[in-house]
Amino acid sequence: MTRLREHHGAVHELAAQGLNKSAIGRKLGLHQATVRKYLNAASVAELTAVTEQRAHLVDDHVAYLHQRWNEGERNATQLFREIKQQGYPGGELAVQRYLRRFRKGLGHAPHPGPKPPSVRQVTSWIMTHPDHLDARDATKLHELRSRDGDINRLVKHVRDFAVMMTGHHGDRLEVWITTVEVDTLTPLAGFARNLRRDFDAVRNGLTLPHSSGAVEGNINRLKMIKRQMFGRAGLDLLRKRVVLAH
């Protein structure tokens, strides 16, 4: 921790003097990626927080680790060996990092709560039509929305856009963009602003019944035929295959 603090301070000090990342790395003997990591962290606490987050590798074994810790086992190497036999895929260092928080406490590890959903899971819940969402996943999403105002508003914006897109309600586009732009959800606000760059085309796409699906389907079919011939399909041969297929 002392060396980490020294390196972090030295990197920021040299950067303040005008040295670039490469020069700082040469002077301190650090890789440029390490220098960038230190510069992106405003404090040492941010660096250690990232380190602690890497303990996610032991997520599937935390209940066992908590149990063994509360039984009095404090040897990280021994605990690593035990969960390794249970299928743990990571290294001993991640186990040591996870147990570090308990060494700073009163000697007992709290009982682990339920594992939080992954970003991919939450994204899937949000992007799935409410009528097609599994009852258990719908309950989890409802609980998440009730605890987090940002998630709640995000779900509402996404579903409003989905209704607008599937129901051909392009007349609602201006209101939707304006509402999202004034929200605090920066990535979604950026998406909304980008829609303004070609507003008429987007609105028409959300209003008119026409679709480029048939064209895209034929393009994909032509690409498949070319792949079947390992890229050797010239225009004449490709035309013959398409024509003879009908």
Side-chain angles (χ1 to χ4, degrees), residues 1-17:
M1 178 64 75
T2 301
R3 173 173 290 185
L4 181 66
R5 185 176 294 105
E6 291 176 351
H7 281 163
H8 179 266
V11 166
H12 279 265
E13 182 179 346
L14 292 173
Q17 295 174 11

Side-chain angles (χ1 to χ4, degrees), residues 117-142 144-145 151 154-155 158-159 162:
S118 66
V119 173
R120 178 175 295 181
Q121 286 176 311
V122 176
T123 301
S124 175
W125 300 342
I126 294 174
M127 299 301 293
T128 300
H129 192 288
D131 295 341
H132 302 155
L133 196 60
D134 180 88
R136 290 171 298 179
D137 293 339
T139 299
K140 293 176 183 177
L141 180 59
H142 176 74
L144 189 60
R145 294 181 66 179
I151 292 292
L154 175 63
V155 173
V158 170
R159 289 182 173 175

Side-chain angles (χ1 to χ4, degrees), residues 7 38 60 67 136 210:
H7 281 163
Y38 287 171
D60 293 336
Q67 174 190 335
R136 290 171 298 179
H210 310 300

